[in-house]
Amino acid sequence: MAAAVAAGVTSALEAADAALARIAAYDAVQPQVWIERLDPEVVHAYARAVDARIAAGEVLPLAGATFAIKDNIDLAGLPTTAGCPDFAYAPEASAVVVQRLIAAGAIPVGKTNLDQFATGLNGTRSPHGAPHCVFNRAFVSGGSSSGSAVAVGAGLVDFALGTDTAGSGRVPAAFNNLVGFKPTKGRWSTSGLMPACRSLDCISVFTHDLDDAELVDAVAAGFDAADPFSRPLEDRPRGAKRLGVPLPQQRNFLGDATAAYLYEQALERFAADGAEIVPIDIDFLSEAAQLLYGGPWVAERTTALKTMLAEKPDAIDPTVRTIVEAGLGVTAVELFEGEYRLKALARRAEAMWDEIDLLVLPTAPTAFRIAEMKAEPIRLNAALGLYTNFVNLLDMSALAVPAGFRGGDVGFGVTLIGPAHADRALIAAARPYLARPDAPAPVLDLGDKMETVTLAVVGAHLEGMPLHWQLTSRNARFLGAAKTADSYRLYAIANSTPPKPALVFSEGGAPIAVELYELDLAAFGSFTAEVPAPLAIGSVTLDDGRTVKGFVAEPRALDGATEITGFGGWRAYIASL
């Protein structure tokens, strides 16, 4: 993540500029990832400071690594809103964790979207819009750390801070094919975090791999005397030979056969590395999970929002308000009854760790489309927390890792869970699993999906352009922004309606920006049949070496055409007009 800057291969300023360019390009796809970004000159100032420190001989473990910050965590220079503009305040200083990351050479770029007041696991409860899963924008991104997960999943930044009270740092990691590290409560300071449930809150991190998660933890972890919930740093060794899993009848995937299959495949990979898979009764964990929203702990969320509820209730998202208003009716008697029950369940959890080393659970039982979530926002959101809600209540550590894709649509993940202070042990346990040649699981075809084709579009079919409807009408799935190899030239075709470019293979060319979409064979065939001369569908080589189908041009397309290769893509050329 930061090795190139530390080794002098590139500079922090170059790394920052590259991130800013990626972010700007992705704005055309999902601008709702962000609530507010730092001015580029401020980002440059952070980067120049890193370069100066490197030049002076400092060793910075995160030198030049760019990162995003969930907007319930303070960053000096930007307001903290928690997804509610009427709640906004200007922090005097950055959160302690943010300060530690910056001191280690990391470069902040902005604040990301979230389920308002970190209340939700889906990402749709925001006045700024709902971030979508990076692989299929019909699906939720997961929440509440929605924007942070998408920022990393789309490759915009090196890592991003989220928070995790009930699974918000794990569910979005699963859907966007990321590592989601949720430390033990108190391992990372929560000074500068706007509380959700203050006694349960954790700041978490999204990364692409375990090395980056481990590196961020090494910087962020540590006691903070100003945080009453901070704990002395511990790393307790823990084996990974006995992995607890739910009894067969307790493995609930809400009818998602692909998720069930992927979970079994993940367990087989752990077993192939010598782990014993131990079925255990997890009913008591499910009972603990119900206490978070179905018990008195909902009143802790109400405590954090009592002023907003009293003075500006209409500024709160209706679903969020429904949830937190329920806490107004919780009595002290109910709170103590809940505490007593949780203590009993915690004692059972302590005994469980004598029988197994770690738990391996699905991160989420399935994934939902945004339209489905908006139709049933409370019931479906609760379903996403089936395997996550109990973790902080029972003082456990957790690490979400990828476990494949549902037919290429949405990521699926599993979570390693251990007792408090097993954080480093979880990372060690995940290494052989992710290092296996068959991990994470490949894209599946369970027989109910047609073969698909990846298509690169370069001009009028880009999102927001006149012919984009020809993709959306065929249920094309957006896979991400990309670039061609540096062996192409781009031309604006003369007298074309609507305006269209011609992509031409040429030695001495340059990388050209494209968007990648996935279509089933029937949709791809009907799309290709509508492509007019002098354009055609052929094979296009990307800068990562892949070859995909894409728009190419006959020689006559260049008659009277204007070369626009220097713009790097059609969108930039159109903007110049």
Side-chain angles (χ1 to χ4, degrees), residues 48 65 173 185 193 208 246 250 264 287 298 323 332 348 388 402 410 412 460 526 558 573:
R48 291 190 185 98
K185 287 188 300 180
L193 168 65
H208 283 288
Q250 295 172 334
E264 293 299 327
E287 182 183 347
V298 71
I323 293 167
R348 290 188 61 181
T388 62
V410 182
F412 175 79
S526 67
L558 303 188
Y573 167 69

Side-chain angles (χ1 to χ4, degrees), residues 15 205 359 418:
V205 68
L359 282 166

